[in-house]
């Protein structure tokens, strides 16, 4: 591993309207040393935060007021800056058609709640090509 990848900081955006669930996801991601985590409490808040920072990965819920996770994914994939940024959906929606719709809109991964922190950490590490330490 080069010095460059050891010191590289990556930005993650967690978009989740449930404070306990958001805290759990943020806590899991805090175990990934290379990651700086920013929180947004809904899709509109996420868009505000996206305008000021370049994120390397976005983790979003589907069911949120005003701008839900699927609309957020659609907006991000239409934006040149975020066309290729990995998006993980973490949701209670377990139906196959919900998963297919999310992936068709451009999500990279789809996890149904309840989530396990180690699984989230492993997936984020895989997507961002970060080695375990």
């Amino acid at each position: 591993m080069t010095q460059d990848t050891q010191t590289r900081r990556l930005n993650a955006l967690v978009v989740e309207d449930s404070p306990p669930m958001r805290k759990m996801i943020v806590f899991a991601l805090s175990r990934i040393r290379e990651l700086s985590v920013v929180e947004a409490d809904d899709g509109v808040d996420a868009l505000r935060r996206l305008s000021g920072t370049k994120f390397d990965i976005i983790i979003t819920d589907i069911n949120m007021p005003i701008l839900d996770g699927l609309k957020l994914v659609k907006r991000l994939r239409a934006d040149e800056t975020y066309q290729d940024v990995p998006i993980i959906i973490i949701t209670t929606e377990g139906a196959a058609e919900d998963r297919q719709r999310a992936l068709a809109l451009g999500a990279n991964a789809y996890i149904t709640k309840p989530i396990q922190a180690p699984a989230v950490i492993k997936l984020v590490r895989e997507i961002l090509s970060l080695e375990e330490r």
Side-chain angles (χ1 to χ4, degrees):
M1 190 193 292
T2 66
Q3 184 62 32
D4 199 34
T5 52
Q6 283 182 337
T7 55
R8 188 173 62 146
R9 293 295 291 173
L10 299 171
N11 293 316
L13 179 63
V14 174
V15 188
E16 168 65 70
D17 62 327
S18 159
M21 181 55 67
R22 192 170 63 239
K23 279 191 183 7
M24 193 169 111
I25 296 167
V26 169
F27 178 73
L29 296 179
S30 72
R31 306 217 311 284
I32 302 174
R33 198 173 317 145
E34 302 88 342
L35 222 47
S36 294
V37 182
V38 173
E39 300 175 45
D41 48 28
D42 60 40
V44 174
D45 189 26
L47 291 176
R48 257 197 310 274
R49 295 183 188 282
L50 288 163
S51 68
T53 307
K54 174 72 168 89
F55 290 95
D56 301 288
I57 190 164
I58 297 162
I59 298 164
T60 185
D61 186 17
I62 288 181
N63 297 319
M64 296 181 292
I66 311 167
L67 182 67
D68 71 33
L70 294 177
K71 289 187 183 110
L72 179 62
V73 170
K74 197 172 178 181
R75 297 264 294 262
L76 290 170
R77 291 307 183 219
D79 180 337
E80 255 180 54
T81 311
Y82 285 99
Q83 278 177 341
D84 300 320
V85 171
I87 300 172
I88 298 173
I89 291 185
I90 296 180
T91 184
T92 54
E93 302 301 322
E97 53 270 18
D98 291 317
R99 174 185 296 267
Q100 287 163 348
R101 189 161 158 236
L103 297 174
L105 284 171
N108 299 74
Y110 191 99
I111 302 173
T112 51
K113 296 173 185 172
I115 60 165
Q116 302 297 318
V120 173
I121 293 166
K122 183 175 186 285
L123 180 62
V124 169
R125 283 191 173 284
E126 277 173 22
I127 288 175
L128 293 175
S129 303
L130 297 171
E131 294 176 15
E132 291 270 351
R133 294 225 173 132

